[in-house]
Amino acid sequence: MSSTLGKNLEISIFGESHGNAVGVVINGLPSGEYVDKNLINQYLKKRATGKDKTMTARVEADEVQFLSGVYNDYTTGTPLTMVIYNVGQHSKDYSNIATIARPSHADYSGFVRYKGFNDIRGGGHFSGRLTTPIVMAGSLCMAILKNKGIDICANIIEIGSVKGQRLGNRLDKNTFDILREKQIQAIANEDKMREEILTARENLDSVGGRIECVVTGIKAGVGSPMFDGVENNIAKAIFGIPAIKGIEFGEECLLKGSVYNDSYKMDGGKPVTVTNHDGGINGGITNGMPIVFAVKVKPTPSIARCQDTIDFKKMSDTTIEIKGRHDPCVVARAVPCVECVTAIAILDMVMESEIYG
Amino acid sequence: MSSTLGKNLEISIFGESHGNAVGVVINGLPSGEYVDKNLINQYLKKRATGKDKTMTARVEADEVQFLSGVYNDYTTGTPLTMVIYNVGQHSKDYSNIATIARPSHADYSGFVRYKGFNDIRGGGHFSGRLTTPIVMAGSLCMAILKNKGIDICANIIEIGSVKGQRLGNRLDKNTFDILREKQIQAIANEDKMREEILTARENLDSVGGRIECVVTGIKAGVGSPMFDGVENNIAKAIFGIPAIKGIEFGEECLLKGSVYNDSYKMDGGKPVTVTNHDGGINGGITNGMPIVFAVKVKPTPSIARCQDTIDFKKMSDTTIEIKGRHDPCVVARAVPCVECVTAIAILDMVMESEIYG
Amino acid sequence: MSSTLGKNLEISIFGESHGNAVGVVINGLPSGEYVDKNLINQYLKKRATGKDKTMTARVEADEVQFLSGVYNDYTTGTPLTMVIYNVGQHSKDYSNIATIARPSHADYSGFVRYKGFNDIRGGGHFSGRLTTPIVMAGSLCMAILKNKGIDICANIIEIGSVKGQRLGNRLDKNTFDILREKQIQAIANEDKMREEILTARENLDSVGGRIECVVTGIKAGVGSPMFDGVENNIAKAIFGIPAIKGIEFGEECLLKGSVYNDSYKMDGGKPVTVTNHDGGINGGITNGMPIVFAVKVKPTPSIARCQDTIDFKKMSDTTIEIKGRHDPCVVARAVPCVECVTAIAILDMVMESEIYG
Amino acid sequence: MSSTLGKNLEISIFGESHGNAVGVVINGLPSGEYVDKNLINQYLKKRATGKDKTMTARVEADEVQFLSGVYNDYTTGTPLTMVIYNVGQHSKDYSNIATIARPSHADYSGFVRYKGFNDIRGGGHFSGRLTTPIVMAGSLCMAILKNKGIDICANIIEIGSVKGQRLGNRLDKNTFDILREKQIQAIANEDKMREEILTARENLDSVGGRIECVVTGIKAGVGSPMFDGVENNIAKAIFGIPAIKGIEFGEECLLKGSVYNDSYKMDGGKPVTVTNHDGGINGGITNGMPIVFAVKVKPTPSIARCQDTIDFKKMSDTTIEIKGRHDPCVVARAVPCVECVTAIAILDMVMESEIYG
């Protein structure tokens, strides 16, 4: 079902960029979990705009309201609903492009899908704005996972032509804390990445990039074979973030088998692998090593140049110049989205493992 | 649910490598579709082994039996069940490694997941053998899609260090027919690819690769936003094939926005895009262009060298030498699996589009 | 998943009796459907309290807010969210019974299920208040069904010891209109039923009853065999209404086969059955006759008498006198709930029939 | 999805009365459960025909084959598949009625649903034969439940005009053992019930009845509110049995509240209720008391009299005389089906309770 995700924990996301609100219902949450509003706000702030010139100036003053499912600051176990009421949208910025397809946006595909009835203001339900409820739901899941000793952290490894570094073995809390302080959450080369973004902005252009994400502290035996594996479920969740076009588990699989294979050894009475090319997953199931994957983020489709396109109502050629305020790069803002949607997928699978564990 | 896939069309896969049978129940199939056994056998043959030295010598004489859902050669619309009874397995080949983890296999993760009760002979339910029912179900879906003008074809673009070519605009039936005749289904450099595989075999090693897959003839407006998009559903399906570790939609997204964006233009009264960097999908929904994606296949984990590992029952270090017959490269055999699992995902979404279309 | 229902159309209900709001997200709605707020309010009014002495004096001034999914009064096709903010709850009425189980309420079972973290004020998520979002979602579905020529109407056939009449062949719009005007929506004996309720109130007691529900205008061939049949889906939906303990399809099945069997005959070129003992359903699939079923509603568990019970925190015997304002009979208020939840189940199945129809 | 049931435990049923086989795939079973073939055969025998004159003479020599999911007599945890190959069907018995609707059968509704492509021999997928895989899957679940201290037993309380008795407090193992020995599994009046059936047979007629089913040993706190409650899930499962037209939880709910309400009291340090009118369920969740419900079984639609009907291909009036061998009453054979489908629903919910328990 569109806009819902999960089996034991189901999130149902709603809202439009310029509608009354965006929000999420979370069904199946364990009862008695502390609702850490600070953590939620921290992740929301990370996703928010207007912090500097690498981002759009549009300010999102996002304050979460809880409509249900929280009682005396703890989850009740019944459906939990969070909303953020939309304020201060500039609908006029978009009014001239109602039936003109912005290239590489969902204007045309959405128009066909919904026969012209979808809310097109600001992209409507297709807007990056809809990652806000993902972050709300995911940061709540993150807090629950942390109580189970599981942590999730992302690291930008590529923006435009600038490469960063993989985390490799640097998966300790200290590294994560340092990373999380950074606006461009990269373990290396964030200054060059910032420059790359500003140059793109000056050139009325945009750039994409690549984000690595790691899940630490997850026990072996989580996940199921074939279509309900860790890879399947993370991938299904990750592609819910607009602009993500690729995902790869492990660091790189195009190696010779003799190099790729992750040898096991005993370490302190516990099986570990010497390398982690499989990204912690064999046969869809965790092997006790950290889950590692990387996602590719395409360049922001909204650029300030004149572009060839069509008017899909008139069915005729035309051009478009996208006005308004847009990010020249959404990679940094995608970081909390990647972390949070991963938290949702992981918590769902960890809950499932209670059944067979 | 492990080993099941789909919403409007649900496949439920069962079996173990050395058990009585492997098979699939397909639920939700339209009634009155011709069951093209030739097409099914064609795809099965493509997946089968023993055709030459690039593959394992283990012969799989796979004959499909229909247990239900077919009446006078047409689908009844009620659950359709296909099985292949297993014959000629060499269980002894695997008997010495029952509690010794083959590196980068699911032996250890599966042991933890199923508390030691899973059938470990030949990998059991984790075996590549379980792609047989994927191919059975998918080739049946493929036949139904073809009647709707939709075709799916894969093309190997990388094996080890050998690069092939992307299909680009060569998406005509003629190209597909030529491709399908090839044992190494690559539009270019299949000889070098074959050499690469044979060299790996000689070196007691293995190689992986990359497969491009295209879906032509699909109309605009199929799919849904966020978590039920075309990317989400194809990705969830694709990672059901063991050995696949990555997927990327479009040809490459790490470009500047001004280059990446797919401009629209009218072409014969129909909107098309000049480029197809988005791989035919915007906001999770088809835009009328071909769906294009590529998957990464890891090197076969079974290699004939001695490898360090553990005995996970004794919880002690040991080594393993995997005997038996194994592919030095599964990329070519993964081709029909990729095509067929894609067919399942696409037919499901096309059926869904009947509701909102 | 608790509080969600449906496959092609998924509703996700949230809220607590004394929390901030109750509401519903509807996912999968067709786009371009007119959102008939009048019809929604009409059904809500029918469900509301305080209309006369047969009901609790607690006034629910329910005004629906649309948070998403509606644009220019038409459904967008993306998730539609409706909420009613709670006002004027009297939490104090319930404060003394926090850990004392009201007999035949969900206080104790809910306490165990949610380990004491659920919101117990006014029954929380278990409150009859949660039928409000069912009515909101269902009345919207009802409007869509009416455009397809399908109508749904309920008729009270029993309250306490007073019997009404089955509708039988009186399934015309005129009869439905007359029925819908009545506060006790019964085709016969509503005055005696009212008396029965008032007598129960005077005796500090409560009564239950039976409601018949019919679905007219539905074509043959809707539904699927075994577990996805019309009976399965309606039953699953119906038991979402608190207080309903039984459902029976057709008027009565404990007859001899020679009497029970519904003979077919041609009528105006169309197959009809002479009787309709099967309630319009054979093998889980509609046969073109009206769907007919009846549900049993238990007596309101909240009565003003002193009752024996336990304190489930102290694990000790005690007694309870339930204060506050309560209905001596919820049958009349259950009528729109039954109609509306049926509308949700039927629309889902009718949408599904677009795939195979 | 038609013919599938369950969330944590999914069964997928396939087959046709006169096809190659009937069977079931069970997905999500816990690993390491002993597969008790004796128990499975016991329940199958109970469901089988030909035992005496109250039943059809058609012999079903049902031998279960395990195609997957069992290794050394224990469940592997991966999909478990059981089939029974069909032998000895008399297809000719049905050949003359291919397009003539048997009254109160699914011939016509199935024809419309599947556009005439469904296998109509012997009712095809709609046949009572399809309860065999329900019994196979359910008896396996029953064995697992028994290990958890949960038992399920049914008791016929009505056949035609003969009433039996409710079990009431007689819920001990001894009573169940005695009941299970009986061919007409009724705690009282089975002789009169047998007579009633034989009389119906002599009159070329058929009779229905009512079956009570109880689930003992289930802890409090299982189930979820609204649409995922115990009542919803049992009802959805139960209506998967052909011929069942009604279900009611508890013994009878049309009582005064002061009589109906189940008072709590402490009993040996454990909360119990003095009565059990709610059938062990409050707010969709178990309260620790036995689950009690009753189902209504309609009279066998196949009777040997001439009946009015239509030819739905010719769309013309006609008559039918159903030949072949048929049960004058399926109530006794429905008993193991009711018990077994309940076992499936209960095990699924008990597994779910591992997550929140």
Side-chain angles (χ1 to χ4, degrees), chain A residues 1-2 4 7-8 10 13-16 20 27 31-32 66 68-69 71 76-79 81 85 114 117 121 125, chain C residues 1-2 4 7-8 10 13-16 20 27 31-32 66 68-69 71 76-79 81 85 114 117 121 125:
Chain A
M1 183 64 67
S2 145
T4 72
K7 186 191 159 201
N8 303 292
E10 188 185 70
I13 283 176
F14 59 86
E16 290 95 17
N20 289 327
N27 216 314
S31 62
F66 291 83
S68 72
Y71 187 47
T76 59
T78 52
T81 309
Y85 296 99
Y114 295 110
F117 285 97
R121 297 170 300 163
H125 190 64
Chain C
M1 184 63 69
S2 142
T4 72
K7 185 189 160 203
N8 304 292
E10 188 185 71
I13 282 176
F14 59 87
E16 289 94 19
N20 288 326
N27 216 314
S31 61
F66 292 83
S68 71
Y71 187 47
T76 59
T78 52
T81 309
Y85 296 99
Y114 295 111
F117 286 97
R121 297 170 300 164
H125 190 64

Side-chain angles (χ1 to χ4, degrees), chain A residues 257-272:
Chain A
S258 56
V259 177
Y260 180 89
N261 281 0
D262 295 325
S263 296
Y264 282 95
K265 65 170 184 182
M266 295 305 297
D267 183 27
K270 218 191 111 198
V272 297

Side-chain angles (χ1 to χ4, degrees), chain C residues 55-128:
Chain C
M55 298 183 176
T56 164
R58 189 172 91 147
V59 179
E60 297 176 355
D62 290 341
E63 201 179 335
V64 181
Q65 310 282 334
F66 292 83
L67 295 190
S68 71
V70 184
Y71 187 47
N72 296 332
D73 289 329
Y74 285 83
T75 58
T76 59
T78 52
L80 186 152
T81 309
M82 291 183 263
V83 298
I84 291 178
Y85 296 99
N86 286 329
V87 287
Q89 304 90 344
H90 295 245
S91 289
K92 281 177 202 164
D93 289 349
Y94 299 91
S95 57
N96 65 325
I97 56 164
T99 65
I100 299 176
R102 291 170 297 162
S104 287
H105 271 286
D107 300 338
Y108 171 64
S109 60
F111 173 83
V112 178
R113 170 68 174 80
Y114 295 111
K115 296 176 231 161
F117 286 97
N118 56 314
D119 180 351
I120 42 78
R121 297 170 300 164
H125 190 64
F126 293 98
S127 167

Side-chain angles (χ1 to χ4, degrees), chain C residues 226-294:
Chain C
M226 302 209 76
F227 303 111
D228 198 21
V230 176
E231 287 130 332
N232 315 65
N233 287 323
I234 288 180
K236 183 177 170 66
I238 277 290
F239 285 112
I241 303 172
I244 291 191
K245 297 299 279 187
I247 186 167
E248 181 171 2
F249 291 87
E251 291 200 6
E252 170 55 64
C253 72
L254 295 186
L255 304 166
K256 291 231 155 64
S258 57
V259 178
Y260 181 89
N261 281 359
D262 296 324
S263 295
Y264 282 96
K265 66 170 184 181
M266 297 305 297
D267 183 27
K270 220 190 110 198
V272 297
T273 61
V274 178
T275 51
N276 187 15
H277 291 110
D278 273 323
I281 308 160
N282 294 125
I285 300 169
T286 55
N287 62 15
M289 297 302 289
I291 297 171
V292 180
F293 63 91

Side-chain angles (χ1 to χ4, degrees), chain D residues 10 66 72 79 141 159 163 187-188 202 204 222 247 270 276 290:
Chain D
E10 189 185 71
F66 291 83
N72 295 331
C141 295
I159 283 191
K163 301 254 188 288
I187 201 167
E202 277 161 33
L204 309 184
V222 175
I247 187 167
K270 220 192 109 198
N276 188 15

